[in-house]
C-alpha cells in the first residue's frame, strides 16, 4: 500500500511539474509575441486578402476573383475567423500567427519529453523561446502554423508506435492532414510512418501495419476534398506554377541531381554568394549557434546507429526535409520557409547538451536514483544556460539576439513607459496604404479599378474590407535567370509559359521594361525583367470594364504616361503625388506616349553581363529575337544611353511628380 501511495504521489508530482512547465511556457510566449507593433510581409498580406473574401462569402479566391489552387485554405480561414471575432484589421489578422508562435515551444517541449525526457523538452523549449531567428520568422509569415500541426502529428505517431491507443494514430493522421491544408510542404512527412515501421525493429508488427494503414486512411480522408477541388478546377494547375514548373521541366541526370542536392544544402546553411539572391542569407547568418546545430545533428546521427529511437526519429525527419532545404538553397528562398528545421535543430541541440550533462553526472559518484536525477538536472542547467545566454545577448549577422525581439513586446514598452509613439503597422499594409484605400473608396467604390502591383492591390483590398474591385496591370514577368537546374520562363496573368511559346506584341507597342521589385525593402531583382505592352493594357481595361486607373509607388514612373495620354484624365492625387487616380475616357482619341524603360534596367543589365553572362546572353537574345528590339538599342541601353525613340524615366518611389492643380494649369 505504501509503495502504491508513493507511486501515486510521484505521478501527481510529475503531472503538476509538467503543468507548471506548460503554464510557464505559455506565459513567456504570450508576453513575447504580444508585440507593440507588427510588420506585415508580402505573403502575409496575401493571406489576409484571401481571408477577406472568405469572410465576405465570396469563397477561396484572390482579390481579383481568381481561384486559389496552389495553397490550402486553412490558414486564410483561421484569419477570416479572427476577422469575424475582432473585425477586419491587420491587428486581428495576426492572432492566428501569434497563437501558434506561443504554441510551438510547448509542442517542442512535449515532443522532446516524449522522445527523450523532460529535461530535453524544457531545454529545447527555452532555446526556441530565446532565439531571435525563430521569433522573427515565425511571427512574420504563416511559417509558425504548419510546423505545429506537423510536430503534433509526429508526437502522436510516436506515441502510437510506443503502444498508444488507436486514438493516437487517428489523431496523428488528422493532424498531418490539417498541416497539409495549411501548407503543402507537410507531404514530405507522409512517408514517416512507413519508414519508422521499416527501420525500427521494435515497431514491426502486424498490429502496427494495420494501424499505419488506418493512419493513411485518415490522412487521405482529410485531404481528399481539397485535392478533388483542385482536380475539378484545373488539372493543369496541380503541378503548381513558377519555380516548381521550371524545376520539373529541367533535364536532370543522376550526377547533376546529387550535385543540385548538396549544393542547395550548402547554400541553405551558408548563404548563396550569387548576385541574384534577394532573400537567402543562410542559417549560419541567422543563428549565432549554427555551428552547434551541425555538431548536434552529427551526434544524433551517431546515436541513431546506437539504436536510440528518439534520435532516429529526428534524423529521419531531417532527411525527409532535406530536399526542401536543398530546393530553398538553390532558388534562394527565405530561410523562414522552414521554421520547422529551426525547431527540430533546437530539439536535437537540447538532446546533445543534455546527453553531455548526463555523461558528466555519471562521473560524479552519487547514491540513489533521485540523487542521480538531481545531479543530471543541475548539470543540464549548467550546460544549457551558457548557450541560452549567448544567443539571447549576442548579435551576429542577421541574428540580433533573443532580447532584441523581446524589445518589441507590449509588456516591455509598458515597463519602460515607452508609450509616446502609437502602436504601428508597417510593411505591405501600413497607414499609407490604409489611407489610399479610404481615398479610393470615396472616388470609385462602385467601379472597377486597375493599377498597382499584387502587393499594393492586396493591401488596399484588405484595408477597404473587400469593398473595392481591383485588377492589376497586365505586366509580363520574364524570369531570365539561367542555370543548369533552372530554365527561363514567362509569367503573365497568373500563368507560366516557356519563353519560346509566348507571343510578344510588336516592339513599337512596348510601353515599358524595368527590373523593379515589388517592395522597396528588397534588393534589385537580378533574375527578372518586367514588361508592359500598351495593347495589353488597353485590352484588359476594355475586357474588365475598368473605369479608373490607380498608380501607386511601385508604378510611379507611369505617371508621365497617364498624364500625357488623353485616354486618361487625372481625378485626384494624395501623398504629394505618390498615389494618383485617373478616369478612363474611352471616347478620347488615343495617342501613344511611350516610356519604354526605367534607368534601373541599365544598372541591372550591366551587373548581369558581368556576373551572370549566361543569363545576360539569354536576356539580350530575348529582347532582340523574341521582343523585336534592335541590337543597337540593347547595346545603347546597356551603356546607360537612351536608344532612339526611348524615353528614360528615373525609378524613384519617393518622387512626387506634379500635383493635380499644376496639371490643370
Amino acid at each position: 500500500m505504501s509503495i502504491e501511495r508513493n507511486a501515486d504521489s510521484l505521478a501527481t508530482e510529475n503531472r503538476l511539474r509538467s503543468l507548471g512547465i506548460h503554464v510557464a511556457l505559455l506565459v513567456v510566449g504570450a508576453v513575447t509575441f504580444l508585440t507593440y507593433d507588427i510588420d506585415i510581409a508580402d505573403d502575409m498580406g496575401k493571406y489576409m486578402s484571401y481571408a477577406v473574401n472568405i469572410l465576405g462569402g465570396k469563397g477561396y479566391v484572390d482579390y481579383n476573383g481568381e481561384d486559389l489552387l496552389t495553397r490550402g485554405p486553412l490558414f486564410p480561414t483561421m484569419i477570416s475567423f479572427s476577422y469575424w471575432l475582432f473585425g477586419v484589421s491587420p491587428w486581428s489578422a495576426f492572432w492566428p500567427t501569434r497563437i501558434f508562435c506561443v504554441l510551438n515551444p510547448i509542442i517542442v517541449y512535449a515532443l522532446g519529453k516524449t522522445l527523450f525526457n523532460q529535461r530535453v523538452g524544457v531545454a529545447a523549449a527555452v532555446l526556441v523561446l530565446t532565439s531571435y531567428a525563430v521569433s522573427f520568422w515565425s511571427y512574420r509569415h504563416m511559417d509558425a502554423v504548419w510546423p505545429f500541426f506537423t510536430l503534433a502529428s509526429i508526437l502522436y505517431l510516436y506515441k502510437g508506435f510506443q503502444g498508444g491507443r488507436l486514438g493516437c494514430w487517428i489523431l496523428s493522421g488528422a493532424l498531418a492532414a490539417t498541416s497539409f491544408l495549411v501548407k503543402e510542404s507537410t507531404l514530405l512527412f507522409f512517408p514517416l510512418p512507413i519508414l519508422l515501421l521499416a527501420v525500427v525493429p521494435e515497431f514491426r508488427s502486424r498490429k502496427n501495419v494495420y494501424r499505419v494503414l488506418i493512419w493513411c486512411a485518415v490522412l487521405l480522408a482529410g485531404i481528399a476534398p481539397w485535392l478533388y477541388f483542385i482536380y475539378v478546377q484545373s488539372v493543369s494547375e496541380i503541378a503548381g506554377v513558377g519555380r516548381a514548373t521550371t524545376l520539373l521541366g529541367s533535364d536532370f541526370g543522376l550526377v547533376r541531381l546529387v550535385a543540385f542536392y548538396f549544393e542547395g544544402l550548402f547554400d541553405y546553411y551558408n548563404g548563396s554568394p550569387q548576385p541574384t539572391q534577394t532573400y537567402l542569407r543562410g542559417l549560419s547568418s541567422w543563428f549565432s549557434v549554427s555551428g552547434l546545430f551541425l555538431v548536434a545533428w552529427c551526434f544524433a546521427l551517431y546515436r541513431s546507429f546506437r539504436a536510440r529511437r528518439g534520435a532516429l526519429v529526428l534524423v529521419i525527419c531531417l532527411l525527409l526535409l532535406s530536399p526542401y532545404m536543398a530546393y530553398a538553397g538553390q532558388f534562394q528562398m527565405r530561410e523562414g520557409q522552414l521554421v520547422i528545421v529551426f525547431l527540430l535543430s533546437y530539439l536535437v541541440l537540447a538532446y546533445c547538451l543534455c546527453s553531455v550533462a548526463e555523461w558528466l553526472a555519471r562521473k560524479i559518484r552519487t547514491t540513489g536514483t533521485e540523487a542521480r536525477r538531481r545531479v543530471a538536472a543541475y548539470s543540464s542547467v549548467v550546460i544549457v544556460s551558457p548557450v541560452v545566454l549567448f544567443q539571447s545577448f549576442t548579435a551576429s549577422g542577421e541574428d540580433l539576439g533573443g532580447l532584441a525581439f523581446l524589445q518589441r513586446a507590449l509588456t516591455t514598452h509598458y515597463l519602460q513607459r515607452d508609450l509616446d509613439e502609437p502602436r504601428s503597422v508597417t510593411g505591405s499594409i501600413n497607414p499609407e496604404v490604409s489611407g489610399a484605400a479610404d481615398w479610393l473608396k470615396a472616388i470609385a467604390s462602385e467601379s472597377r479599378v486597375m493599377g498597382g502591383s499584387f502587393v499594393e492591390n492586396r493591401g488596399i483590398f484588405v484595408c477597404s474590407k473587400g469593398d473595392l474591385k481591383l485588377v492589376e496591370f497586365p505586366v509580363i514577368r520574364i524570369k531570365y535567370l539561367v542555370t543548369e537546374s533552372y530554365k527561363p520562363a514567362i509569367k503573365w496573368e497568373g500563368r507560366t509559359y516557356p519563353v519560346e511559346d509566348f507571343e510578344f506584341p510588336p516592339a513599337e507597342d512596348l510601353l515599358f521594361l524595368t527590373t523593379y521589385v515589388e517592395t522597396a525593402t528588397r534588393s534589385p531583382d537580378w533574375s527578372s525583367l518586367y514588361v508592359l505592352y500598351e495593347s495589353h493594357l488597353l485590352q484588359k481595361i476594355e475586357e474588365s470594364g475598368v473605369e479608373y486607373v490607380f498608380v501607386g509607388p511601385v508604378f510611379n514612373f507611369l505617371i508621365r504616361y497617364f498624364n500625357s495620354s488623353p485616354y486618361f484624365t487625372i481625378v485626384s492625387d494624395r501623398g504629394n503625388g505618390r498615389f494618383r487616380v485617373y478616369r478612363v475616357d474611352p471616347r478620347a482619341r488615343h495617342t501613344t506616349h511611350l516610356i519604354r524603360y526605367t534607368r534601373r534596367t541599365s544598372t541591372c543589365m550591366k551587373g548581369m553581363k558581368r556576373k551572370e553572362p549566361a543569363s545576360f546572353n539569354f536576356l539580350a537574345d530575348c529582347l532582340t529575337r523574341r521582343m523585336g528590339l534592335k541590337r543597337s538599342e540593347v547595346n545603347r541601353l546597356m551603356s546607360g544611353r537612351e536608344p532612339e525613340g526611348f524615353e528614360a524615366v528615373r525609378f524613384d518611389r519617393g518622387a512626387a511628380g506634379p500635383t493635380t492643380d499644376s496639371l490643370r494649369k
Side-chain angles (χ1 to χ4, degrees):
M1 184 69 69
S2 176
I3 296 176
E4 291 179 2
R5 278 200 299 269
N6 288 337
D8 291 340
S9 176
L10 183 61
T12 302
E13 181 182 342
N14 288 336
R15 283 196 295 270
L16 289 175
R17 185 186 298 116
S18 182
L19 178 62
I21 292 170
H22 280 89
V23 171
L25 293 175
L26 185 66
V27 171
V28 174
V31 169
T32 301
F33 293 105
L34 184 58
T35 55
Y36 194 73
D37 57 2
I38 54 175
D39 182 37
I40 299 175
D42 296 351
D43 284 355
M44 187 64 183
K46 176 170 61 177
Y47 299 120
M48 290 166 64
S49 68
Y50 301 166
V52 169
N53 279 328
I54 293 174
L55 179 68
K58 300 175 184 177
Y60 187 44
V61 295
D62 207 343
Y63 71 91
N64 54 12
E66 294 181 358
D67 288 323
L68 299 165
L69 306 174
T70 57
R71 182 61 43 82
L74 191 55
F75 182 58
T77 302
M78 293 178 187
I79 298 176
S80 69
F81 181 70
S82 186
Y83 284 160
W84 181 73
L85 287 176
F86 306 112
V88 178
S89 74
W91 296 101
S92 61
F94 256 73
W95 276 109
T97 297
R98 185 178 288 122
I99 288 170
F100 286 98
C101 285
V102 174
L103 291 178
N104 273 337
I106 296 175
I107 197 65
V108 167
Y109 160 73
L111 186 59
K113 180 183 176 183
T114 301
L115 293 179
F116 306 108
N117 54 55
Q118 193 171 67
R119 291 190 299 276
V120 173
V122 171
V126 172
L127 287 168
V128 166
L129 275 172
T130 55
S131 169
Y132 174 80
V134 171
S135 298
F136 175 84
W137 285 115
S138 298
Y139 199 58
R140 187 169 170 78
H141 295 85
M142 65 174 289
D143 300 309
V145 182
W146 74 274
F148 171 82
F149 291 109
T150 299
L151 294 180
S153 175
I154 295 170
L155 171 66
Y156 284 100
L157 177 66
Y158 188 77
K159 285 185 175 182
F161 272 118
Q162 290 283 80
R165 296 180 179 179
L166 180 61
C168 290
W169 294 86
I170 295 174
L171 183 57
S172 175
L175 287 166
T178 303
S179 185
F180 180 82
L181 294 176
V182 174
K183 193 171 184 179
E184 66 284 353
S185 307
T186 309
L187 62 86
L188 293 169
F189 288 93
F190 288 177
L192 182 60
I194 298 173
L195 290 175
L196 290 178
L197 193 64
V199 172
V200 182
E202 295 87 344
F203 291 169
R204 296 175 200 155
S205 68
R206 181 176 298 180
K207 178 181 177 181
N208 281 344
V209 171
Y210 291 146
R211 294 195 167 188
V212 167
L213 292 175
I214 292 172
W215 185 94
C216 294
V218 172
L219 171 67
L220 289 174
I223 66 176
W226 171 241
L227 295 180
Y228 178 74
F229 172 77
I230 294 175
Y231 178 81
V232 169
Q233 293 298 317
S234 176
V235 177
S236 63
E237 295 288 342
I238 292 180
V241 296
R243 290 189 179 99
T245 302
T246 53
L247 178 63
L248 291 172
S250 300
D251 185 17
F252 279 110
L254 179 60
V255 174
R256 178 56 200 147
L257 186 62
V258 173
F260 175 93
Y261 175 78
F262 285 106
E263 288 170 5
L265 290 178
F266 178 83
D267 285 347
Y268 185 74
Y269 176 80
N270 213 40
S272 174
Q274 298 182 21
T276 50
Q277 169 254 312
T278 56
Y279 288 116
L280 194 67
R281 300 293 186 272
L283 295 191
S284 59
S285 180
W286 277 101
F287 292 90
S288 56
V289 296
S290 59
L292 293 179
F293 287 167
L294 296 179
V295 174
W297 280 113
C298 290
F299 176 78
L301 180 62
Y302 165 75
R303 282 297 185 96
S304 67
F305 285 117
R306 299 291 297 272
R308 298 297 193 274
R309 282 179 290 190
L312 181 61
V313 170
L314 294 181
V315 169
I316 292 175
C317 287
L318 184 69
L319 289 175
L320 292 174
L321 280 168
S322 61
Y324 193 179
M325 296 164 62
Y327 181 82
Q330 282 284 353
F331 295 110
Q332 302 145 30
M333 299 162 67
R334 54 183 167 81
E335 294 85 351
Q337 296 270 7
L338 284 159
V339 165
I340 192 169
V341 172
F342 308 166
L343 301 177
L344 290 174
S345 295
Y346 274 120
L347 182 53
V348 80
L349 176 58
Y351 171 56
C352 179
L353 294 175
C354 290
S355 295
V356 172
E358 289 177 4
W359 178 80
L360 290 175
R362 286 196 296 269
K363 298 298 181 182
I364 302 174
R365 293 184 179 180
T366 55
T367 57
T369 304
E370 188 62 29
R372 285 195 296 270
R373 186 181 292 113
R374 286 199 186 96
V375 171
Y378 295 147
S379 300
S380 297
V381 172
V382 171
I383 296 294
V384 174
S385 294
V387 180
V388 171
L389 293 173
F390 179 78
Q391 74 169 7
S392 297
F393 291 95
T394 301
S396 175
E398 302 292 330
D399 188 354
L400 303 182
L403 289 181
F405 191 87
L406 192 59
Q407 294 298 317
R408 296 178 55 186
L410 184 63
T411 306
T412 304
H413 281 262
Y414 275 113
L415 292 175
Q416 296 177 347
R417 299 188 181 277
D418 183 17
L419 304 173
D420 296 335
E421 294 293 328
R423 298 179 70 183
S424 60
V425 180
T426 58
S428 61
I429 298 177
N430 52 59
E432 185 180 52
V433 173
S434 179
D438 294 338
W439 169 65
L440 274 174
K441 283 176 66 175
I443 297 171
S445 60
E446 300 298 325
S447 305
R448 191 166 294 277
V449 181
M450 170 184 282
S453 65
F454 284 103
V455 173
E456 284 179 325
N457 288 353
R458 285 173 176 137
I460 289 172
F461 183 76
V462 171
C463 292
S464 73
K465 300 182 180 180
D467 292 338
L468 286 171
K469 305 170 186 176
L470 299 169
V471 294
E472 65 283 347
F473 289 125
V475 175
I476 301 169
R477 183 183 183 186
I478 304 174
K479 296 282 292 181
Y480 58 75
L481 178 61
V482 180
T483 67
E484 291 181 64
S485 57
Y486 192 88
K487 292 185 177 180
I490 285 177
K491 291 192 72 174
W492 186 55
E493 298 289 89
R495 295 186 177 275
T496 302
Y497 305 86
V499 175
E500 58 272 12
D501 293 347
F502 190 82
E503 185 175 346
F504 289 92
E508 295 77 19
D509 190 35
L510 178 65
L511 181 56
F512 77 81
L513 57 90
T514 182
T515 49
Y516 83 92
V517 287
E518 290 281 337
T519 60
T521 57
R522 296 186 191 171
S523 54
D525 189 347
W526 293 93
S527 64
S528 300
L529 189 71
Y530 298 84
V531 179
L532 177 64
Y533 285 93
E534 193 172 38
S535 59
H536 289 167
L537 175 67
L538 300 181
Q539 181 180 355
K540 188 165 185 178
I541 287 175
E542 181 179 352
E543 291 177 351
S544 301
V546 172
E547 298 178 47
Y548 292 91
V549 173
F550 154 71
V551 181
V554 170
F555 289 100
N556 193 267
F557 56 87
L558 279 179
I559 284 175
R560 294 179 63 176
Y561 168 75
F562 290 114
N563 286 346
S564 303
S565 172
Y567 197 71
F568 304 97
T569 305
I570 189 165
V571 175
S572 180
D573 67 68
R574 64 176 278 116
N576 199 22
R578 283 168 56 81
F579 294 89
R580 292 168 181 253
V581 172
Y582 298 84
R583 181 183 291 108
V584 177
D585 186 0
R587 297 170 299 178
R589 183 176 179 181
H590 183 64
T591 55
T592 302
H593 178 81
L594 298 182
I595 298 286
R596 301 304 286 268
Y597 81 101
T598 61
R599 292 197 184 279
R600 180 180 286 181
T601 307
S602 176
T603 304
C604 281
M605 288 179 67
K606 287 180 189 177
M608 184 58 65
K609 184 176 183 180
R610 184 174 68 255
K611 299 175 182 178
E612 293 283 351
S615 299
F616 171 77
N617 291 335
F618 161 77
L619 178 60
D621 181 70
C622 183
L623 289 172
T624 53
R625 187 170 61 87
R626 302 293 307 168
M627 297 176 60
L629 299 181
K630 298 177 182 178
R631 189 74 193 197
S632 60
E633 291 179 326
V634 176
N635 291 337
R636 288 178 66 86
L637 181 62
M638 276 291 303
S639 67
R641 295 176 292 169
E642 297 179 14
E644 295 180 6
F646 277 47
E647 180 177 354
V649 177
R650 186 176 300 280
F651 182 82
D652 184 1
R653 296 175 188 277
T659 64
T660 308
D661 292 338
S662 64
L663 286 168
R664 287 171 179 167
K665 292 177 181 178

